[in-house]
Amino acid sequence: MGVVFMTDRGKVRQHNEDSGGVFVNRYGQSLAVVADGMGGHRAGDVASGLAIKELKQYWEESEKLSSPDVASRWMKEKITQVNQHLFQYSQEHEECRGMGTTVVMAVCTDAFCTVGNIGDSRCYILNENGFSQLTEDHSLVNELVKSGQISREDAEHHPRKNILMRALGTEEKVYVDIKTIEIEAEDQLLLCSDGLSNKVSTEQLKETLASSLTLEEKAASLIKQANDSGGEDNITLVIVDFTNGSG
């Protein structure tokens, strides 16, 4: 398994409120995570940074996740704990009131991959069936699309596109969407914040992942494409390439 994590402040923002990483437990299993913080006054980077720090610690202490059910239970339990801590922290620190973060995460083994998300950071897969989005955005515009009030094309440029219906740390309880997929050799996962998905088209994402570039070159190319399209937001991504298999 090959992995690359990359983040960039973008061309407009003063601070990078995204966080992320790829962490390995003692059994060689990988956890890929991207978090896009929000809350202003630099509270966004507090929220995303705390979430990533805690998930990293939980992962490195975890037992082997031997099945999708075990992985799903681990994810629900740890997301609940992180959410409680973030919510409590925001209540105790006036400057962090209302802070929160998106999170998209993938537990990666050689046989399966369990993906969880809250908010509008996304996970895509490139496999023999093509390129598709595995996660569903928890956003106002996605709700409008699902209810038929606006089209997908309208959603791309909707003025309230940044309004989330669900985030980590903003409420006492949160629900994480979880799904598991089987992994084949040569599959690739892309996890990213909306600083990438809002600026680079699905076709461009697919073409870059399918190219003969190295993983680092693919990541750098995607960030450059987002910046060349305006770079108004922080840009963070993880690419996981299953070509070599893993434990």
Side-chain angles (χ1 to χ4, degrees):
M1 183 191 301
V3 296
V4 61
F5 163 72
M6 205 169 284
T7 186
D8 190 86
R9 192 180 71 191
K11 298 173 73 173
V12 175
R13 299 285 180 91
Q14 294 298 307
H15 305 292
N16 191 344
E17 296 191 342
D18 287 0
S19 298
V22 181
F23 313 114
V24 181
N25 66 13
R26 61 196 131 163
Y27 302 98
Q29 297 176 317
S30 297
L31 175 71
V33 196
V34 168
D36 179 356
M38 59 193 195
H41 306 296
R42 298 207 66 188
D45 58 0
V46 173
S48 65
L50 279 174
I52 295 298
K53 180 183 177 183
E54 291 194 13
L55 288 169
K56 176 180 186 287
Q57 181 179 340
Y58 289 143
W59 185 250
E60 291 174 348
E61 296 170 351
S62 73
E63 295 302 314
K64 187 171 186 178
L65 304 188
S66 55
S67 70
D69 285 346
V70 174
S72 295
R73 282 199 301 273
W74 182 90
M75 202 173 277
K76 286 178 185 175
E77 180 181 304
K78 301 312 176 188
I79 283 292
T80 297
Q81 291 173 354
V82 173
N83 186 72
Q84 289 170 343
H85 184 210
L86 288 183
F87 184 75
Q88 183 179 353
Y89 189 96
S90 71
Q91 300 301 301
E92 295 171 353
H93 297 78
E94 185 65 37
E95 72 278 10
C96 292
R97 285 284 168 90
M99 76 173 187
T101 183
T102 71
V103 65
V104 60
M105 55 202 295
V107 170
C108 302
T109 77
D110 58 351
F112 68 88
C113 186
T114 298
V115 176
N117 76 294
I118 299 169
D120 61 358
S121 292
R122 294 178 176 178
C123 180
Y124 298 91
I125 186 167
L126 177 67
N127 60 17
E128 61 184 6
N129 297 317
F131 184 73
S132 59
Q133 184 178 333
L134 290 174
T135 54
E136 185 173 298
D137 295 352
H138 304 133
S139 63
L140 175 62
V141 293
N142 194 45
E143 291 298 318
L144 295 175
V145 169
K146 288 198 297 181
S147 63
Q149 296 179 60
I150 63 173
S151 69
R152 285 222 173 265
E153 291 70 30
D154 293 336
E156 289 303 312
H157 308 287
H158 197 280
R160 302 181 75 187
K161 187 172 182 179
N162 64 336
I163 296 178
L164 297 181
M165 306 300 286
R166 200 188 303 179
L168 188 66
T170 57
E171 306 281 346
E172 283 190 77
K173 293 185 179 180
V174 73
Y175 179 77
V176 55
D177 285 355
I178 298 174
K179 66 172 59 176
T180 293
I181 55 170
E182 289 186 12
I183 290 297
E184 303 290 342
E186 299 183 15
D187 289 359
Q188 292 183 71
L189 287 186
L190 170 66
L191 287 73
C192 66
S193 61
D194 66 346
L196 181 67
S197 57
N198 281 344
K199 287 295 172 182
V200 181
S201 71
T202 301
E203 193 57 38
Q204 288 172 297
L205 295 176
K206 177 185 177 180
E207 285 181 7
T208 305
L209 281 191
S211 72
S212 59
L213 298 172
T214 67
L215 282 184
E216 287 74 16
E217 288 169 344
K218 290 177 183 180
S221 174
L222 289 171
I223 284 177
K224 183 178 186 300
Q225 290 174 57
N227 277 324
D228 288 348
S229 297
E232 292 92 349
D233 201 354
N234 310 140
I235 310 150
T236 302
L237 62 92
V238 174
I239 304 172
V240 184
D241 184 344
F242 292 91
T243 301
N244 299 316
S246 170

